[in-house]
Amino acid sequence: KDSSQVETLVNQLIQFDPSDGNGATSSALDGRWELIWAQGVRKFSPLLGLPRPLRPTSQQLLGISQLQSGQAQRAANTLSSGILGPIRLVLSSNIEKRDSSTLEIFPPFWLDLNFGSNQWRLVDADSDATFRATQARSLEEQKAPRNLYVQLYLEDSKQPGDLRISKVVAGDPVIVGATFLHRRISTS
């Protein structure tokens, strides 16, 4: 389906949110999620706009059981395969539940490059502004507040195939308004 058809279906699905607006506080949020559709992310992540088979696979890891560092308050986004080949990029950040539906993303931001058993830290940013500066962002964009992600829809069976829809509602102007549709791969 083209993106506008998917967007229409996503917006219809949101009306039936099984979490009743409590997606950010639900234990069903924990797990490994694969990005299956996104709207409004090309400026933020040009790799996600590439056609298949060049587009890398994007996964999000939420919850203590998903993070190798064992830190309960961190989340990670990974890009692998496609144009990246055997390279895996891992962007991790702190994450906090702001209210029953909203997650706040904050530093430190770590961008790691993994190749086989080797790992290199490319970015270690202690503020949103520093992280955005590494992406050659304008001063205005660097000064923007922290990113807030509203969990609009969360299926709570904790089974592979569950869907989750989130949207950036505040923060980095390059990504505010972006909507993401993820499919659960696993709970661990």
Side-chain angles (χ1 to χ4, degrees):
K1 295 192 179 274
D2 73 35
S3 191
S4 64
Q5 290 175 312
V6 175
E7 184 174 8
T8 298
L9 294 171
V10 163
N11 287 331
Q12 290 173 354
L13 190 59
I14 290 169
Q15 301 173 58
F16 304 102
D17 175 20
S19 76
D20 292 323
N22 294 302
T25 57
S26 172
S27 62
L29 188 62
D30 287 352
R32 181 180 296 269
W33 299 86
E34 180 179 15
L35 181 66
I36 57 175
W37 176 83
Q39 175 273 325
V41 297
R42 285 184 189 229
K43 284 184 182 178
F44 178 73
S45 184
L47 293 175
L48 294 178
L50 292 173
R52 292 179 197 239
L54 298 176
R55 182 176 54 236
T57 299
S58 175
Q59 292 185 7
Q60 191 170 64
L61 295 80
L62 298 170
I64 191 167
S65 62
Q66 296 299 310
L67 303 171
Q68 291 180 351
S69 66
Q71 297 176 330
Q73 296 300 315
R74 288 197 65 83
N77 291 288
T78 67
L79 292 175
S80 60
S81 67
I83 197 169
L84 296 174
I87 294 172
R88 186 171 93 142
L89 294 173
V90 179
L91 173 61
S92 64
S93 62
N94 280 344
I95 188 168
E96 187 174 287
K97 297 169 185 177
R98 190 157 206 218
D99 59 39
S100 63
S101 66
T102 308
L103 298 172
E104 182 174 1
I105 311 302
F106 58 99
F109 298 100
W110 300 332
L111 177 61
D112 297 326
L113 184 146
N114 298 332
F115 184 80
S117 61
N118 298 308
Q119 178 176 318
W120 297 272
R121 174 118 333 134
L122 304 177
V123 175
D124 187 346
D126 62 356
S127 72
D128 291 83
T130 303
F131 180 66
R132 293 172 186 155
T134 66
Q135 301 166 40
R137 299 293 185 75
S138 71
L139 288 176
E140 179 184 337
E141 292 166 342
Q142 291 175 39
K143 292 178 182 178
R146 292 182 175 154
N147 290 345
L148 298 179
Y149 286 71
V150 171
Q151 306 306 299
L152 298 169
Y153 181 91
L154 175 64
E155 292 180 351
D156 53 10
S157 77
K158 299 183 183 180
Q159 298 298 311
D162 279 355
L163 297 177
R164 178 171 59 92
I165 301 167
S166 58
K167 183 173 188 165
V168 183
V169 295
D172 184 346
V174 172
I175 196 168
V176 168
T179 303
F180 303 90
L181 174 60
H182 286 89
R183 176 180 53 228
R184 183 189 304 280
I185 297 171
S186 67
T187 56
S188 59

